[in-house]
């Protein structure tokens, strides 16, 4: 049987013990194989390197989700045992802690960098320095958590563009009626509405950059106003 593991990727088959190849043919999982669920990257990586295995993935929309890896039960048991032994050592615990500390430092540095980029984008007049600080904090807190899936986590565009997009997205949800709008299911309509709301948000931000008087019942100031129960236990 082939040993080129990169070619052995399938989609779920019609039955639990089957997979579907790219040409549409259905294959039955070999006897004595077990399905290793996704979630343990080290285990999956070692199983794939150990010999033949079948990876199962399913595409939904633009995203592809792993459904696990089929491999001989004996191989899985051996590798899982080796991993458990390694993970029980003090050296492994120290490496994990060092990795966690490094990730925390990286995240802290990025949060600071992103918050600075947001403040630079806002560039409010000195009169509204406090409002700019509160807005930057709100946007950064929402957008930067690892795994949040927001534009702030992408690396495809510069951080300056991420900051602008995150501010506009935050304002769309917090200062407009976007979330409760009934938007016709017409191609391009939702994008059109988002662009219209973005223009309104940019116009509002411009007023604060110029130091103009705040609009009556300003939705931005309402969204950032301290909540009466914020200090409650």
């Amino acid at each position: 049987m082939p040993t080129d593991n990169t070619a052995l990727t399938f989609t779920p088959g019609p039955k639990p013990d089957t997979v579907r190849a790219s040409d549409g043919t259905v294959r039955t999982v070999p006897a004595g194989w077990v399905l290793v669920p996704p979630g343990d990257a080290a285990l999956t990586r070692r199983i794939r390197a150990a010999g033949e295995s079948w990876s199962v993935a399913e595409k939904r929309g633009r995203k592809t989700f792993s459904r696990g890896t089929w491999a001989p039960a004996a191989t899985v048991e051996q590798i899982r045992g080796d991993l458990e032994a390694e993970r029980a050592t003090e050296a492994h615990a120290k490496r994990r802690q060092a990795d966690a500390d490094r990730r925390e430092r990286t995240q802290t540095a990025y949060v600071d960098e992103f918050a600075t980029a947001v403040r630079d984008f806002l560039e409010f007049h000195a009169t509204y320095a406090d409002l700019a600080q509160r807005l930057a904090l709100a946007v950064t807190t929402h957008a930067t958590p690892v795994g949040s899936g927001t534009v702030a986590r992408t690396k495809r565009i510069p951080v300056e563009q991420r900051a602008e997009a995150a501010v506009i997205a935050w304002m769309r949800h917090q200062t407009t009626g976007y979330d409760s709008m009934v938007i016709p299911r017409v191609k391009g309509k939702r994008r059109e509405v988002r662009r219209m709301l973005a223009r309104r948000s940019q116009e509002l931000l411009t007023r604060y950059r110029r130091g103009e008087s705040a609009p009556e019942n300003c939705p931005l100031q309402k969204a950032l106003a301290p909540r009466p129960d914020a200090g409650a236990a």
Side-chain angles (χ1 to χ4, degrees):
M1 297 187 76
T3 58
D4 181 4
N5 293 344
T6 60
L8 300 177
T9 300
F10 306 88
T11 56
K15 296 181 179 180
D17 60 346
T18 63
V19 296
R20 192 182 301 276
S22 58
D23 61 3
T25 59
V26 175
R27 300 189 190 183
T28 299
V29 175
W33 282 31
V34 294
L35 180 64
V36 179
D40 189 332
L43 176 61
T44 300
R45 188 166 53 247
R46 293 192 185 189
I47 288 172
R48 291 175 179 172
E52 188 181 12
S53 62
W54 292 3
S55 298
V56 184
E58 185 176 16
K59 189 171 184 180
R60 291 189 177 182
R62 297 182 179 180
K63 296 185 177 181
T64 300
F65 298 90
S66 172
R67 295 300 178 229
T69 301
W70 286 98
T75 300
V76 174
E77 183 178 356
Q78 176 65 48
I79 294 174
R80 184 174 278 138
D82 291 344
L83 267 176
E84 289 177 355
E86 289 178 22
R87 289 169 173 172
T89 64
E90 183 179 353
H92 177 77
K94 289 181 177 180
R95 284 197 302 272
R96 283 183 60 86
Q97 186 59 54
D99 289 343
D101 292 343
R102 183 172 59 254
R103 288 193 297 270
E104 184 176 354
R105 289 193 299 271
T106 299
Q107 171 65 2
T108 298
Y110 179 63
V111 169
D112 291 343
E113 178 189 15
F114 187 82
T116 298
V118 170
R119 289 192 293 270
D120 289 346
F121 165 69
L122 294 176
E123 202 176 5
F124 281 7
H125 188 277
T127 304
Y128 297 110
D130 178 67
L131 185 68
Q133 182 63 25
R134 282 186 283 138
L135 178 54
L137 177 61
V139 172
T140 300
T141 300
H142 169 76
T144 57
V146 176
S148 61
T150 67
V151 69
R153 300 308 312 184
T154 184
K155 293 185 178 180
R156 295 193 301 269
I157 58 177
V159 67
E160 294 80 9
Q161 293 181 29
R162 290 176 235 163
E164 177 179 355
V167 170
I168 298 304
W170 185 92
M171 292 182 68
R172 179 171 63 248
H173 292 289
Q174 301 296 328
T175 68
T176 76
Y178 177 76
D179 290 339
S180 59
M181 286 182 177
V182 178
I183 301 175
R185 293 181 174 273
V186 178
K187 185 177 180 180
K189 188 63 178 178
R190 183 168 294 275
R191 185 179 297 108
E192 178 185 337
V193 170
R194 288 162 67 113
R195 286 175 177 169
M196 178 267 292
L197 295 176
R199 286 195 296 271
R200 291 184 182 177
S201 295
Q202 291 283 17
E203 291 169 359
L204 180 58
L205 293 174
T206 297
R207 296 189 64 165
Y208 284 108
R209 291 183 182 118
R210 294 174 176 171
E212 298 175 2
S213 57
E216 186 176 355
N217 295 320
C218 174
L220 179 58
Q221 296 210 24
K222 282 186 175 182
L224 293 172
R227 297 180 181 179
D229 59 346

